[in-house]
Amino acid sequence: MKPGPRSVLLTLIFFPALVVAGTTGIFEGYVKDARNGEPLPGVNIVILELQQGTTSDSEGHFQIQNVRAGSYQIRFSIIGYTSHLIKNVIINPDLRTRLTVSLEAADINLDEVVVIQEKPIIQKDITGTTFIVSSQEIEALPIDVVTDALRLKPGVTLEGNVRGGKSSEVLYLVDGLPVQDVLEGGLAANLPNSSVFGASFYVGGLDAEYGNALSGVVNIVTKTGANTHKVAARADKDNLFGGKQNSRTTEFELSGNGPLVENTLYYVGAFNGQLSDTRWWQDFDLFYKSPIDKRFSGFGKLDYFFSPTLRLGLQGLLNIHDWRDYEFGWRFNLAGLPPQKRTAYRFAAILSHSISETFFYTASVSRFSLDSRIGEGGKESIPSNDPYQYDFFLRYVIDGQRAWWTDNNQATYTAKVDGTLKAGEKHLLKMGAEFNLYTLDADIVKYEPRKTYFGKPLVNEPQLNFSTSYRYKPKSGSLYIQDKIDLPSDGLLLNLGLRYDFLDPSATRPAIEQIPASDTSFATVQRGEEKATWKSQISPRIGAAMQLSERGYFFLNLGWYFQYPLFEYLYTGIDRVGLARGVSALTGNPNLEPERVLAYELTVKYDIGKDVVLSIGYFRKETTNQIDSKTFISGNSRVAGSYGFAEYVNNPNAEAKGFEFIISRERNSWLLGELSYTFMATEGTSGASTDGFFIAQYGLPPAGRVYPLSWDQRHTVKATATLVTPWGINLTTHVNYHSGRPYTNYPTPTGFEPVDSALFQPNNARMPRYINIDLKARWVAPFKVSAATLSAYLEVRNLLNEKNVQWIDSNGRIGGELNDPGGYYIGRRTTLGVQLEF
């Protein structure tokens, strides 16, 4: 019998594993006598900042579980031996940090030995490709927000496509809990950089604790306060040097953390504001007052330690983004484009408890809300039957208002329990459960003029109507179990997992038929309703790490992954009133199946000496059940009428495969960095969920074959290097080169008819190559300013001022018929900033 929502909820509540995924790690190792190498039992090991500790067993082994991700000082002490204090021990989420410590016997009291710990050359218990970025790296890199660091990594495009997937196929988490736009996809909220301890980017194999993602997971881990107060203020501007190649952007950030009650109650707080006029400020100045784009983000957190093994965290996150879009074709009528605003906030409570040295759990609840507004006033003010006016040549919009008004509200309520159990010396079991309740309230009025494929408006044709209104409360949940089997004597680690997920759309699907209304048009008729079915997925995950030699390791990862369709694809246009009027050009489908991926990767990593690691890998990803739209309207948009019908369906497939070569140096006193080359081919039968609909609207023949997708970068070279100088200046440079991406060359002499209608082939040509160099120089003053450390930084984006192509029209013109400067990425920009830290 198929399980219902109530039974699954009870299963989640009473599931035997009560750490939020990806926020804690394990510290373990071995203590021995420095003289004879014998194990030392009874050594006290204490993490000073957390007052969390243990003692070594009879074999000299120790393990501390449930350690909050962070950088710590750890003391090793026993009577008769000199104590060791190891600084900068990094605990990363989901990973084990291992140390072997040798203690010297002491007949008299000697000073404590202080050691600065460096990160391991190769992380042996990660079986999939994972990149970990620390707060120090975030500060050094030429990026705006922490998620920008993902785009600097191998296999990731500027737009966030991970290993050939769509940008919407990446799951974003903060402290293991989602901050996802479930209607339109992608990241829904950013954090101030000063509140971030680090981030993990999972671009290869995913453990079973991560679901609802096809291409990758970004898990941001926030800072925790300590017994010392720290306060910082930062500000920068990008228009201090004159000229026009800037965005007239001012950014400021305030942050602080420390104790409210020492050893018991800690706080973290950060606020960031960014005011910008965008790269188009010269046109915006004619219509609006500065600033055009306003972004504010805030994060606050309290951690209460009932004891070293029991803590409660409360946190709040707020994002506000208020802006106006720019389109070059509207430059003489920017007042006709509607203002937009997105407000996101989240509240979360996280309880973490170590019951014993072998078992700990975390239980959490959260509410994440995202409100999106487009347009001013009420929706009744939208000019549904009054298309905006073009100039004589149908190039620029010179009058009128874009008919687009939106009031979308979405909330995600999450209850999550995870636990970790050490079962003997070889097994580390992780298990958990999650339940999500969504409340979706969408009200959209949107009309778009019909256009040819070449962008020319069909001014005498009725507009396409994408209006919709719906309210739904779908539910989803999951169970997983993961076992890391460590066999050090065999040089082998196995990572085996199994995940179960379900989605209850909580909706009915309209039974729709198309009845011919004339020789060239159809009428939409609804003949009853069908209840959307319960969707479920079982996803095995298999990983292995094998030691090939003293310096070399082989990694294997195989996984089945899935992602539920965006709720927009399920619900848009299926309200009864809308269907009765036949107003929605695109109709949702609550019975859409999850998109699925089978992916595997093979990687060899080798320590070639001088702290340099060489990594060579092969990956392949096969995607099925992708979302597209099947249309029932006539192929010629000029005779189809305004009552067409198209529905989202599962059918397109895609495949991505490639090789990666990476040389990295992550620990060294003066030069750190990474150099990578990626060869990747990404092909499919559809590049977007609306391809089928618009191809039919344009009157073009369907693709009918596999072709390179728009983000297909065959050759990509990336290099990031940080140079630490003896003068207090750190220089970080990032270089990004890739060969040209595809575009469709389908020329037209008039903008209405192609040169040859039989030659339509999507993405049959390539744009020029892309190359960009960014630079960030940071200087720390050797003196104090009112007891504060002063630092300054200079950041230059697109150092060589390259004219990199962003898009080309079907005639092969960069920026299209209007020579839109947006056809190129922005040129050189220079930002100067200062920071004071107390």
Side-chain angles (χ1 to χ4, degrees):
M1 183 175 67
K2 182 178 69 176
R6 181 174 299 177
S7 63
V8 171
L9 178 59
L10 292 174
T11 303
L12 299 182
I13 293 174
F14 295 108
F15 191 74
L18 295 177
V19 161
V20 171
T23 62
T24 65
I26 295 174
F27 178 57
E28 63 184 14
Y30 175 72
V31 188
K32 63 181 180 179
D33 188 305
R35 294 181 182 177
N36 55 31
E38 293 293 322
L40 277 180
V43 176
N44 293 308
I45 301 106
V46 179
I47 303 173
L48 299 183
E49 289 84 354
L50 302 177
Q51 291 300 303
Q52 192 175 348
T54 187
T55 58
S56 58
D57 62 18
S58 59
E59 300 296 325
H61 297 289
F62 68 89
Q63 185 179 81
I64 305 176
Q65 297 200 56
N66 196 21
V67 182
R68 173 79 185 178
S71 175
Y72 300 107
Q73 301 180 85
I74 301 178
R75 177 171 285 127
F76 294 76
S77 62
I78 187 174
I79 295 175
Y81 288 82
T82 303
S83 65
H84 264 53
L85 178 66
I86 303 181
K87 295 184 176 182
N88 193 41
V89 177
I90 304 296
I91 305 297
N92 284 310
D94 292 333
L95 300 180
R96 301 182 185 188
T97 299
R98 292 187 175 97
L99 288 182
T100 297
V101 179
S102 300
L103 299 184
E104 293 277 358
D107 297 327
I108 58 176
N109 291 328
L110 298 177
D111 291 338
E112 185 173 62
V113 176
V114 178
V115 179
I116 305 298
Q117 176 65 21
E118 293 185 312
K119 64 196 305 183
I121 290 289
I122 299 175
Q123 191 74 46
K124 305 174 185 63
D125 56 342
I126 301 178
T127 57
T129 300
T130 303
F131 301 104
I132 299 174
V133 179
S134 67
S135 57
Q136 292 81 8
E137 292 174 272
I138 294 168
E139 191 175 64
L141 289 169
I143 58 176
D144 294 321
V145 293
V146 58
T147 50
D148 288 345
L150 174 66
R151 294 161 171 78
L152 309 185
K153 296 301 179 181
V156 185
T157 70
L158 289 175
E159 289 73 29
N161 308 97
V162 176
R163 285 192 172 175
K166 299 177 182 178
S167 57
S168 59
E169 295 176 359
V170 179
L171 174 66
Y172 292 90
L173 309 170
V174 172
D175 288 334
L177 295 168
V179 284
Q180 199 83 351
D181 185 341
V182 296
L183 285 178
E184 300 179 6
L187 177 67
N190 279 306
L191 287 169
N193 288 348
S194 56
S195 66
V196 175
F197 163 72
S200 299
F201 303 139
Y202 303 90
V203 302
L206 305 178
D207 285 350
E209 64 179 303
Y210 297 110
N212 203 24
L214 296 180
S215 294
V217 173
V218 176
N219 186 24
I220 302 169
V221 179
T222 60
K223 291 180 178 177
T224 298
N227 279 329
T228 303
H229 291 281
K230 293 183 179 180
V231 178
R234 177 178 67 87
D236 62 42
K237 289 180 71 67
D238 77 341
N239 59 334
L240 295 173
F241 303 97
K244 298 180 179 179
Q245 287 197 161
N246 59 67
S247 300
R248 297 204 308 200
T249 297
T250 300
E251 184 177 3
F252 53 90
E253 186 160 319
L254 301 172
S255 64
N257 64 81
L260 294 175
V261 179
E262 284 196 5
N263 299 320
T264 303
L265 181 61
Y266 301 96
Y267 73 91
V268 173
F271 176 80
N272 178 278
Q274 188 182 91
L275 307 176
S276 176
D277 289 330
T278 79
R279 65 182 289 194
W280 313 110
W281 57 268
Q282 296 169 82
D283 284 349
F284 273 124
D285 273 354
L286 302 175
F287 292 88
Y288 301 107
K289 293 181 179 180
S290 175
I292 301 300
D293 190 304
K294 300 179 283 291
R295 300 171 187 257
F296 303 100
S297 62
F299 179 78
K301 178 180 178 182
L302 292 174
D303 285 296
Y304 185 80
F305 286 74
F306 297 94
S307 70
T309 61
L310 178 63
R311 62 179 178 267
L312 173 66
L314 302 175
Q315 56 178 253
L317 167 66
L318 174 66
N319 258 221
I320 300 174
H321 186 195
D322 194 338
W323 79 103
R324 286 183 179 272
D325 272 342
Y326 178 89
E327 292 184 28
F328 195 70
W330 286 73
R331 62 180 307 205
F332 301 116
N333 184 34
L334 290 177
L337 294 176
Q340 302 192 45
K341 185 173 183 177
R342 284 164 64 96
T343 303
Y345 57 91
R346 189 184 82 176
F347 301 102
I350 303 171
L351 180 70
S352 184
H353 187 197
S354 297
I355 293 181
S356 68
E357 292 188 355
T358 60
F359 179 74
F360 66 94
Y361 71 88
T362 292
S364 64
V365 292
S366 71
R367 181 187 191 273
F368 178 72
S369 177
L370 175 62
D371 300 334
S372 303
R373 300 287 183 113
I374 299 176
E376 295 176 308
K379 61 182 178 181
E380 62 279 354
S381 63
I382 298 303
S384 57
N385 297 314
D386 184 21
Y388 35 85
Q389 303 301 311
Y390 289 85
D391 64 7
F392 179 78
F393 299 101
L394 300 179
R395 295 181 301 180
Y396 293 98
V397 179
I398 57 175
D399 192 26
Q401 175 187 346
R402 168 160 287 170
W404 191 4
W405 183 94
T406 294
D407 184 5
N408 285 350
N409 302 278
Q410 54 178 288
T412 303
Y413 300 85
T414 300
K416 189 177 177 70
V417 288
D418 299 81
T420 299
L421 172 68
K422 182 183 179 183
E425 294 299 323
K426 297 179 180 179
H427 296 271
L428 185 67
L429 290 169
K430 192 165 187 179
M431 58 205 85
E434 180 178 337
F435 180 77
N436 297 293
L437 172 64
Y438 309 93
T439 60
L440 310 173
D441 191 345
D443 194 1
I444 301 171
V445 177
K446 185 178 181 181
Y447 298 87
E448 290 286 347
R450 296 177 187 268
K451 293 182 179 181
T452 69
Y453 175 78
F454 314 103
K456 286 292 187 181
L458 300 170
V459 294
N460 295 320
E461 299 299 327
Q463 298 188 95
L464 291 172
N465 189 345
F466 296 94
S467 303
T468 186
S469 178
Y470 57 80
R471 291 183 179 182
Y472 289 100
K473 292 187 177 182
K475 311 171 189 70
S476 70
S478 63
L479 301 169
Y480 77 87
I481 185 167
Q482 186 93 26
D483 187 11
K484 283 190 177 181
I485 308 170
D486 197 357
L487 306 169
S489 59
D490 301 321
L492 181 65
L493 182 141
L494 297 176
N495 201 357
L496 307 177
L498 191 65
R499 182 179 181 91
Y500 168 78
D501 289 83
F502 75 87
L503 172 69
D504 179 7
S506 300
T508 57
R509 176 182 183 272
I512 295 174
E513 293 183 13
Q514 293 296 304
I515 306 299
S518 68
D519 292 339
T520 58
S521 65
F522 295 86
T524 301
V525 178
Q526 181 180 350
R527 301 191 183 280
E529 294 183 344
E530 301 173 1
K531 184 174 176 54
T533 58
W534 174 290
K535 309 295 189 303
S536 62
Q537 169 88 14
I538 296 177
S539 307
R541 314 285 171 87
I542 302 169
M546 182 185 303
Q547 188 167 3
L548 301 176
S549 67
E550 185 178 348
R551 292 187 170 186
Y553 291 83
F554 170 74
F555 299 89
L556 163 69
N557 204 285
L558 172 65
W560 285 259
Y561 309 102
F562 77 100
Q563 185 173 30
Y564 294 121
L566 297 174
F567 288 130
E568 177 186 8
Y569 302 155
L570 269 61
Y571 303 129
T572 187
I574 65 171
D575 57 292
R576 291 183 178 87
V577 174
L579 285 170
R581 294 168 56 193
V583 297
S584 185
L586 260 174
T587 302
N589 181 359
N591 261 343
L592 286 173
E593 291 292 327
E595 298 177 270
R596 293 181 171 90
V597 160
L598 170 60
Y600 65 89
E601 63 174 12
L602 310 171
T603 307
V604 174
K605 294 184 179 182
Y606 193 81
D607 175 8
I608 60 178
K610 299 187 182 298
D611 298 322
V612 177
V613 173
L614 171 64
S615 175
I616 302 174
Y618 172 78
F619 60 88
R620 185 184 181 103
K621 183 164 65 174
E622 299 174 0
T623 307
T624 57
N625 267 8
Q626 285 191 309
I627 310 300
D628 199 354
S629 43
K630 182 179 181 181
T631 182
F632 296 95
I633 62 176
S634 172
N636 188 335
S637 63
R638 282 173 286 183
V639 297
S642 59
Y643 299 103
F645 167 70
E647 183 182 48
Y648 289 111
V649 295
N650 296 104
N651 61 22
N653 302 323
E655 180 181 84
K657 55 186 176 182
F659 294 90
E660 281 181 355
F661 302 85
I662 306 172
I663 298 176
S664 60
R665 192 182 201 184
E666 298 185 8
R667 60 181 215 186
N668 189 268
S669 59
W670 66 278
L671 180 63
L672 305 170
E674 179 181 86
L675 171 65
S676 68
Y677 165 73
T678 303
F679 170 80
M680 179 167 58
T682 304
E683 297 182 329
T685 54
S686 175
S689 60
T690 55
D691 276 2
F693 171 75
F694 283 110
I695 284 176
Q697 280 290 323
Y698 298 140
L700 301 175
R705 67 174 183 85
V706 173
Y707 59 89
L709 301 179
S710 298
W711 51 91
D712 177 51
Q713 293 180 190
R714 292 297 167 99
H715 305 278
T716 305
V717 177
K718 295 184 179 182
T720 302
T722 298
L723 177 65
V724 181
T725 72
W727 309 287
I729 299 176
N730 293 353
L731 296 173
T732 300
T733 303
H734 177 73
V735 180
N736 185 0
Y737 163 87
H738 63 74
S739 55
R741 293 188 219 166
Y743 77 97
T744 303
N745 185 262
Y746 190 55
T748 173
T750 65
F752 290 91
E753 301 294 337
V755 172
D756 186 345
S757 59
L759 293 179
F760 178 74
Q761 296 179 7
N763 291 341
N764 58 347
R766 294 268 172 177
M767 293 188 283
R769 63 95 177 105
Y770 172 98
I771 185 168
N772 182 77
I773 300 176
D774 293 336
L775 172 69
K776 187 172 184 178
R778 188 175 187 87
W779 170 72
V780 180
F783 53 83
K784 298 283 185 178
V785 178
S786 300
T789 300
L790 171 68
S791 59
Y793 55 92
L794 180 71
E795 191 172 301
V796 185
R797 305 284 180 90
N798 194 355
L799 179 67
L800 302 181
N801 201 27
E802 287 280 340
K803 295 191 71 174
N804 290 308
V805 176
Q806 189 165 12
W807 63 271
I808 296 178
D809 76 354
S810 61
N811 281 313
R813 297 173 297 199
I814 300 172
E817 180 184 11
L818 303 180
N819 292 315
D820 181 355
Y824 295 94
Y825 288 95
I826 193 169
R828 183 190 298 119
R829 289 167 296 153
T830 303
T831 299
L832 181 63
V834 295
Q835 177 172 306
L836 286 173
E837 185 172 357
F838 299 86

